[in-house]
Amino acid sequence: MTPRQRLEQVDWPALEQHLDDQGHAVIPGLLDAGECTGLAALYAETDRFRSRVVMARHGFGRGEYQYFAYPLPTLVDTLRQNLYPHLVPTANRWQARLGKARRFPAQHRAYLAQCHDGGQCRPTPLLLRYRPGDYNCLHQDL
């Protein structure tokens, strides 16, 4: 089964409720072990990434992450495109609760166009690498 097929089996109302209640949610089984191993193996392929952040240098914790460069790995691109339409209603509901007028478009392609129009043309998907004892502090990327 593909990640896209697995997404079709998600109980989206329950996931949205968990997001509202907890601020985060997990989709169990979204990726199989082979897909996880394959993504983790990409970390060593530095040409796939546009930048690397060592969290301790910025007070973000301990560990590191790299931002993917275009073209994104197929799996990452597929996840991004297929998760977006399910998550955008929650994002827009949260915008309304925060009193913000801006809403996110229904389609990921339209969202990327907005980002590009605003000058954000670099991809934002990232891959984290944690070793024993590493952690991530609450922080806001600017």
Side-chain angles (χ1 to χ4, degrees):
M1 189 178 326
T2 68
R4 186 176 187 169
Q5 291 167 324
R6 290 181 211 122
L7 284 172
E8 292 172 6
Q9 298 179 349
V10 170
D11 180 350
W12 289 104
L15 187 122
E16 287 182 24
Q17 187 63 54
H18 194 81
L19 282 170
D20 284 345
D21 293 345
Q22 302 298 319
H24 69 277
V26 174
I27 302 175
L30 178 60
L31 301 177
D32 64 30
E35 291 161 336
C36 290
T37 299
L39 284 176
L42 294 177
Y43 202 84
E45 299 180 24
T46 56
D47 59 325
R48 289 188 168 268
F49 299 92
R50 64 176 178 82
S51 65
R52 178 174 163 258
V53 176
V54 176
M55 292 189 281
R57 287 186 196 148
H58 306 282
F60 295 167
R62 205 166 76 194
E64 61 183 56
Y65 54 93
Q66 296 185 101
Y67 285 97
F68 282 104
Y70 284 128
L72 296 174
T74 301
L75 180 57
V76 172
D77 192 48
T78 297
L79 288 170
R80 190 164 82 153
Q81 289 182 43
N82 288 283
L83 282 165
Y84 182 89
H86 294 287
L87 298 174
V88 76
T90 299
N92 283 330
R93 192 172 60 256
W94 287 7
Q95 286 286 91
R97 287 182 183 165
L98 291 169
K100 299 190 179 221
R102 183 172 180 203
R103 298 295 178 265
F104 298 98
Q107 297 299 316
H108 185 253
R109 182 175 47 248
Y111 175 67
L112 284 180
Q114 279 185 354
C115 292
H116 293 174
D117 290 346
Q120 169 52 301
C121 298
R122 299 182 303 172
T124 56
L126 54 84
L127 188 59
L128 295 121
R129 183 174 73 181
Y130 293 116
R131 295 194 169 131
D134 287 353
Y135 58 94
N136 193 336
C137 295
L138 183 62
H139 68 277
Q140 181 178 4
D141 293 337
L142 300 175

